[in-house]
Amino acid sequence: MKTEWDIIVVGGGPAGIFAALEAAKAGASVLLFERKREMGIPVRCGEAVGKVDFHSYTEVDPRWISTEINTFVMVLPNGKEVKLKSNIYAGYIINRDLFEYDMAARAAAAGACIRMRSNVCDLLKNVSGEICGVRVEKRGTFQEYHARIVIAADGVESRIARQAGIASVLNIRDIEPCVQATLSGVDIPEKALYLYVGTCYAPGGYAWVFPKANRCANVGLGINGKYSKRGRNAESYLQDFLKRFFPEASVQRYVSGGVPVSTNLETLSLKNLLITGDAGHMVNPLNGGGITHAIESGIRAGKAAAGACRKPGEMQSLFDVYEKDIYRRFGKNHESQYRIKELVYQMNDEEYNRIGEEVLKIDLKKRSFLAVFRKVVKEHPGFLADVLRAFTGI
Amino acid sequence: MLVLSGHCDQCGTCVAVCPANALMLTESALVIDHERCTLCALCVNICPFAALEIKHED
Ligand SMILES: Cc1cc2nc3c(=O)[nH]c(=O)nc-3n(C[C@H](O)[C@H](O)[C@H](O)COP(=O)(O)OP(=O)(O)OC[C@H]3O[C@@H](n4cnc5c(N)ncnc54)[C@H](O)[C@@H]3O)c2cc1C
């Protein structure tokens, strides 16, 4: 059995799959380990992605698209719906299980080797303390694999970065425990994303209703970790929400998951280690979206790692560029989004209602996200700079 | 002692917040390293399903 590889990828989510695909395409020998037993399952995800971004990464198979979205509706604590201008919210609700399954097959077709039911339990270090591979547990037996570069794509539960000495433990206020039910037989508008804001639905987070094909919908919520208590957790909030809005619906699927809502990890590379996706906390901390960030960072990490295998002398500079590119592409933006989150999620339900009612007075054609935030700014003037930064990317 | 007494969905949220690096997921289970666990109970509260609990031995 081959135990020497150019690149080992830990984790087979979107970040790891795309990293393996890109690195293999660039000619590196790539081995990917995934703890679970099936690619894409369970789908711990609302499955919402921006249309333009999604198409920019790979050739999209029509089977991956469940529904197309063009409308965005915010539901206030008092139940009123604030519809926002539609044309800027072009998105999809995807079938993420099919997407990941197919992409893993594409990575394998490009030459990457994929190993399931393989839990990476340790990073291996050589006598000089450098990372040289991983120790893997598979069905109770342990095996060591060596590589020149390790890519940590091990998601929110990441332990690889920690083992390398990077402080990546999430503070409880920087994580959202989430639960989601995929309902069937629901009657909701097919092209609209619904976000329920306010502490009555989900304190420090929001509840979502995302339509899927055949009258199904992903209905879930995340609460801020600091509000999560053993006796009052995400699951109990979701049960309340379902009872209130979908008492009769059947459930097709039930999942849970944690979403990192911090800013990006500061250190995304360490000598011959690269960190991608949720493992690097690359989720938009305001809306919790992380699929496209995982894909993009995976692609960039795969390319950088393959480049470093070809020219080992340039590893350091290639990895520096990786870190800088991630910061430029979304790390910086997430810093603004984080400050907005801190403000928005400390509003109480009366404030949400009042601001929402103000926004409702704006003509629908002019009712954008920015218009909403302008109303927030009126009440919290210091907020303006962050909003502008977040939306202009400055 | 920290024990898994309810349904664990293996979502990894507890692992992400464990400051002691005492929790790990395997293919099908959550593994608790009792030597590392400091009983801080962050995981007990963060779990979406109340699956974890601190049991006092008597
Ligand atoms: C309930 C919920 C809803 C969400 N909704 C959306 C949404 O609508 N839109 C959006 O854009 N984002 C959403 N997100 C966020 C999105 O799912 C993540 O940002 C995305 O999955 C990150 O991809 P990743 O590849 O970095 O990590 P993951 O998808 O978490 O993949 C990591 C993989 O690594 C494996 N792994 C971990 N450790 C090891 C190990 N030691 N050895 C082997 N394998 C290991 C795991 O089993 C896992 O498969 C949601 C998240 C949750 C929890």
Side-chain angles (χ1 to χ4, degrees):
Chain A
M1 200 200 310
K2 184 172 157 85
T3 55
E4 302 282 338
W5 300 77
D6 287 335
I7 299 165
I8 284 176
V9 179
V10 184
I17 294 170
F18 274 85
L21 171 65
E22 283 306 318
K25 275 203 299 201
S29 68
V30 184
L31 179 60
L32 180 151
F33 291 112
E34 168 55 54
R35 175 172 67 71
K36 299 177 308 193
R37 59 179 76 194
E38 187 171 354
M39 274 294 171
I41 306 269
V43 180
R44 302 187 189 282
C45 190
E47 307 179 285
V49 292
K51 186 174 172 175
V52 176
D53 279 346
F54 197 54
H55 281 280
S56 71
Y57 300 123
T58 188
E59 194 188 318
V60 172
D61 188 311
R63 290 184 311 123
W64 301 346
I65 313 296
S66 183
T67 41
E68 202 168 332
I69 300 298
N70 63 17
T71 305
F72 184 97
V73 183
M74 218 159 69
V75 184
L76 304 175
N78 63 16
K80 285 200 183 152
E81 295 186 0
V82 182
K83 201 171 164 183
L84 298 185
K85 201 171 68 173
S86 54
N87 54 355
I88 44 175
Y89 308 111
Y92 294 130
I93 306 302
I94 60 170
N95 297 309
R96 196 171 141 175
D97 44 354
L98 299 180
F99 163 62
E100 281 183 36
Y101 193 90
D102 288 353
M103 285 311 304
R106 288 187 193 176
C113 177
I114 296 177
R115 291 284 172 263
M116 302 299 289
R117 303 159 109 189
S118 301
N119 183 38
V120 174
C121 32
D122 289 303
L123 271 179
L124 298 178
K125 292 184 185 156
N126 63 20
V127 279
S128 33
E130 281 161 17
I131 294 165
C132 62
V134 295
R135 203 162 72 100
V136 177
E137 184 248 335
K138 184 166 189 168
R139 317 252 81 200
T141 55
F142 292 84
Q143 174 99 31
E144 295 188 350
Y145 297 84
H146 294 268
R148 294 152 78 183
I149 294 166
V150 173
I151 298 180
D154 47 345
V156 68
E157 77 207 61
S158 173
R159 297 169 73 252
I160 297 298
R162 286 189 214 186
Q163 289 186 7
I166 298 170
S168 66
V169 177
L170 281 161
N171 189 297
I172 52 154
R173 54 201 286 280
D174 287 334
I175 189 165
E176 301 257 328
C178 301
V179 275
Q180 174 182 281
T182 300
L183 306 182
S184 49
V186 291
D187 287 308
I188 52 166
E190 228 195 66
K191 289 180 177 300
L193 290 187
Y194 280 80
L195 258 50
Y196 291 69
V197 295
T199 55
C200 59
Y201 305 121
Y206 63 87
W208 62 85
V209 177
F210 295 168
K212 291 201 72 172
N214 301 319
R215 293 176 63 213
C216 291
N218 288 336
V219 179
L221 57 78
I223 63 177
N224 188 279
K226 72 180 173 211
Y227 298 119
S228 179
K229 294 285 169 287
R230 192 166 190 279
R232 190 65 172 133
N233 45 35
E235 156 82 351
S236 76
Y237 280 98
L238 183 66
Q239 289 310 328
D240 292 351
F241 188 84
L242 293 175
K243 248 183 241 142
R244 181 163 162 197
F245 295 102
F246 301 97
E248 308 295 338
S250 299
V251 179
Q252 303 261 106
R253 176 189 273 168
Y254 204 79
V255 292
S256 62
V259 177
V261 286
S262 60
T263 50
N264 288 9
L265 263 191
E266 230 165 273
T267 310
L268 296 174
S269 79
L270 204 66
K271 287 218 171 105
N272 55 345
L273 173 76
L274 286 172
I275 302 168
T276 61
D278 276 20
H281 306 167
M282 294 180 199
V283 174
N284 178 323
L286 183 61
N287 64 25
I291 299 174
T292 53
H293 309 117
I295 296 173
E296 176 155 347
S297 61
I299 291 173
R300 287 177 188 273
K303 281 188 179 150
C309 288
R310 274 195 311 271
K311 295 181 181 157
E314 290 176 20
M315 184 179 305
Q316 171 89 52
S317 65
L318 282 166
F319 288 11
D320 284 349
V321 169
Y322 168 76
E323 274 194 334
K324 286 206 185 89
D325 281 348
I326 296 296
Y327 185 73
R328 187 178 47 82
R329 287 286 290 133
F330 39 79
K332 194 168 179 213
N333 181 255
H334 290 173
E335 291 174 0
S336 311
Q337 302 279 0
Y338 186 82
R339 288 191 292 265
I340 296 175
K341 175 199 87 159
E342 292 284 276
L343 190 136
V344 169
Y345 289 147
Q346 112 200 350
M347 290 179 0
N348 60 35
D349 287 359
E350 285 82 61
E351 273 181 287
Y352 274 114
N353 286 333
R354 201 171 55 238
I355 290 168
E357 302 269 0
E358 286 288 313
V359 173
L360 275 173
K361 292 180 193 155
I362 305 173
D363 186 65
L364 181 59
K365 289 199 198 85
K366 292 183 187 149
R367 222 187 272 159
S368 61
F369 255 125
L370 206 56
V372 175
F373 284 118
R374 276 207 203 100
K375 295 290 174 193
V376 183
V377 168
K378 245 175 86 186
E379 312 219 350
H380 305 273
F383 190 48
L384 183 63
D386 282 332
V387 174
L388 287 176
R389 246 180 252 128
F391 286 94
T392 56
I394 308 166
Chain B
M1 188 166 75
L2 179 67
V3 293
L4 193 60
S5 57
H7 160 78
C8 170
D9 195 40
Q10 284 135 46
C11 73
T13 309
C14 57
V15 182
V17 300
C18 177
N21 214 0
L23 299 170
M24 180 174 83
L25 288 168
T26 66
E27 180 197 329
S28 54
L30 177 73
V31 181
I32 303 169
D33 182 338
H34 293 289
E35 290 196 352
R36 285 191 172 159
C37 175
T38 62
L39 303 178
C40 73
L42 287 178
C43 57
V44 172
N45 284 316
I46 209 86
C47 173
F49 297 114
L52 288 156
E53 180 181 4
I54 291 175
K55 279 231 164 87
H56 300 280
E57 288 129 290
D58 27 34

